[in-house]
Amino acid sequence: MKRYFQFEELNTNYKKEFIAGLTTFLSMAYILFVNPDTLSLAVITDLPEDLRMPKEAIFTATAIAAAFGSLLMGIIARYPIALAPGMGLNAFFSYTVVLGMGIPWQTALSGVLVSGLFFIVLTLSGIREKIINAIPAELKFAVAAGIGLFIAFIGFQNAGIIVNNDATLVSLGDLTHGPTLLAIFGVLITVVLMVKGVNGGIFIGMLITAIVGMIFGLIGFPTAVVGSVPSLAPTFGAAFMHLGDIFTIQMLVVILTFLFVDFFDTAGTLVAVANQAGLMKNNKLPRAGKALFADSAATVVGATLGTSTTTSYIESSAGVAAGGRSGFASVVTAGFFLIALFFSPLLGVITPAVTAPALIIVGILMVGALGEIEWKKFEIAVPAFLTIIAMPLTYSIATGIAVGFIFYPITMIMKGRTKEIHPIMYGMFVIFIMYFVFLVE
């Protein structure tokens, strides 16, 4: 096993890899509770139950998809990179596709499944590089930053910090309300932990917030800590049962968005973590195809089980910082996700006030991409800004991407930079024009 994971070549050992795997797990364990809360639209009180995904089944699907993806990444690609259902994509799934477009969650899962299968084809065919090169870097950064703002906005809403106002659309909520105060405390404690560089700061922040909530009577105490694994029956296989419903322009846009965001989020994470671990060779990522295959295969499995797109997590960098260098660290992380399956009773104490701080902090981390955009070039600033601002203001990641992809060729052509526009971008331009003409009311 040491030889397979190249322990000697990478100057590592079982102890280092175990600590790295545990560190990565603690850094991303928040997804076990945030994902069920997001996909079940827990904060929407008047939603009919048949339109709401079952929270317990999502918990199980999240843990198994994360375990499968991390295990596959560790064994096949041999990278210390863990996977789980992605933040941003779960918000797109719930708030844009299900709540905004009115698409049943079963059909949305079919869209995730198809995007994963398409991702596998792109990876195996080698078309991946062509598509990556076709999308300008500025739009990639804009999408990341826009999703960050969108996630943070949802967090502020869930916390009750930002509320509806008929006169101004939004306004400041009642900061004396118990759950809102708890969420504010959660943000403060998580910020302190993150600034101090505490590994697993987001997850630990959630635990502390939940405990404080129970002490002050804002959250009920759990009836148990360890319990049986929740059944997957309500969600398992639903994606296959509704494949016939995806053949619409609306679902085409949904699938393209799933694919686009996962595509570049994965590529960025792989490069960033591999570079940090010193695994890049001649500015290239060895076994990149295997890493992308692990990611796309995990998305297919996750959709089959009942969760949104599974993707590589930048939190893996915490494990690398702790000494992780091989795929064995990811195998360890996978093991902890399987153990976590038995802690489902804790779902009851993870309320929107507890998960809101995690959404806000992840949003802060994602908007760091703003610094990579050339704001002084107006032809770049316009599509980038519109992409970013449209996501939270329209409550739709897809709309933000559509606006940016429409304005990019227009501004570039007017600037005389036509040769820099890839033909694929013209195809995207047409697709998103159709999106607004036929789908947006």
Side-chain angles (χ1 to χ4, degrees), residues 47-405:
L47 189 70
E49 286 303 312
D50 60 332
L51 299 180
R52 192 190 304 276
M53 289 190 72
K55 202 171 184 179
E56 292 77 14
I58 302 170
F59 173 83
T60 302
T62 300
I64 296 178
F68 175 82
S70 300
L71 188 64
L72 203 61
M73 179 69 76
I75 294 177
I76 295 180
R78 290 176 288 167
Y79 282 126
I81 298 174
L83 290 81
M87 292 291 290
L89 283 165
N90 56 2
F92 171 69
F93 182 104
S94 300
Y95 291 93
T96 299
V97 180
V98 177
L99 192 61
M101 297 181 177
I103 295 174
W105 60 263
Q106 296 91 338
T107 304
L109 282 178
S110 297
V112 174
L113 175 67
V114 172
S115 72
L117 292 171
F118 191 44
F119 197 176
I120 291 177
V121 172
L122 291 176
T123 300
L124 297 178
S125 66
I127 300 175
R128 173 181 56 90
E129 290 81 5
K130 292 183 180 179
I131 297 180
I132 289 178
N133 293 332
I135 312 297
E138 289 80 7
L139 286 185
K140 298 173 193 173
F141 294 131
V143 169
I147 291 175
L149 286 180
F150 183 56
I151 289 176
F153 184 51
I154 291 173
F156 282 119
Q157 279 187 300
N158 291 359
I161 298 173
I162 299 297
V163 297
N164 176 65
N165 186 303
D166 292 337
T168 61
L169 295 183
V170 294
S171 62
L172 192 64
D174 180 6
L175 301 187
T176 64
H177 186 52
T180 302
L181 278 173
L182 180 63
I184 293 173
F185 168 79
V187 172
L188 290 173
I189 194 66
T190 307
V191 166
V192 170
L193 292 170
M194 296 293 286
V195 170
K196 289 291 186 180
V198 176
N199 288 325
I202 295 177
F203 180 62
I204 295 172
M206 287 177 60
L207 291 181
I208 295 174
T209 304
I211 292 171
V212 170
M214 287 185 282
I215 292 174
F216 285 92
L218 297 171
I219 299 174
F221 284 88
T223 55
V225 175
V226 178
S228 59
V229 178
S231 173
L232 280 171
T235 58
F236 185 79
F240 289 94
M241 301 297 291
H242 291 77
L243 282 173
D245 300 330
I246 67 170
F247 298 103
T248 64
I249 295 178
Q250 189 179 46
M251 280 305 297
L252 173 61
V253 172
V254 168
I255 292 170
L256 283 174
T257 302
F258 280 135
L259 181 67
F260 174 81
V261 177
D262 184 32
F263 206 86
F264 297 109
D265 184 51
T266 299
T269 298
L270 289 175
V271 171
V273 177
N275 188 60
Q276 179 190 1
L279 301 175
M280 298 286 284
K281 295 182 179 179
N282 299 320
N283 201 34
K284 293 184 178 181
L285 183 65
R287 306 184 301 280
K290 293 181 178 179
L292 287 167
F293 175 78
D295 193 287
S296 52
T299 291
V300 172
V301 170
T304 301
L305 297 173
T307 183
S308 53
T309 307
T310 303
T311 187
S312 301
Y313 261 59
I314 194 63
E315 282 84 351
S316 303
S317 59
V320 171
R325 293 295 181 272
S326 78
F328 190 77
S330 296
V331 174
V332 172
T333 302
F336 279 110
F337 270 113
L338 290 177
I339 293 173
L341 280 167
F342 298 95
F343 291 86
S344 63
L346 294 179
L347 275 171
V349 302
I350 307 299
T351 64
V354 175
T355 57
L359 295 171
I360 294 169
I361 299 302
V362 170
I364 292 172
L365 296 173
M366 293 185 71
V367 295
L370 286 170
E372 305 294 332
I373 299 172
E374 295 183 276
W375 293 107
K376 292 184 179 180
K377 294 184 178 180
F378 197 66
E379 67 274 21
I380 296 298
V382 169
F385 175 78
L386 292 177
T387 296
I388 294 166
I389 199 66
M391 289 187 188
L393 293 187
T394 65
Y395 223 68
S396 170
I397 293 173
T399 299
I401 292 175
V403 172
F405 276 54

Side-chain angles (χ1 to χ4, degrees), residues 17-68:
E17 297 300 304
F18 180 84
I19 293 175
L22 174 60
T23 300
T24 295
F25 171 75
L26 291 175
S27 297
M28 58 189 290
Y30 65 86
I31 194 61
L32 286 167
F33 304 103
V34 175
N35 201 47
D37 202 62
T38 301
L39 294 185
S40 66
L41 289 166
V43 74
I44 309 299
T45 57
D46 58 349
L47 189 70
E49 286 303 312
D50 60 332
L51 299 180
R52 192 190 304 276
M53 289 190 72
K55 202 171 184 179
E56 292 77 14
I58 302 170
F59 173 83
T60 302
T62 300
I64 296 178
F68 175 82

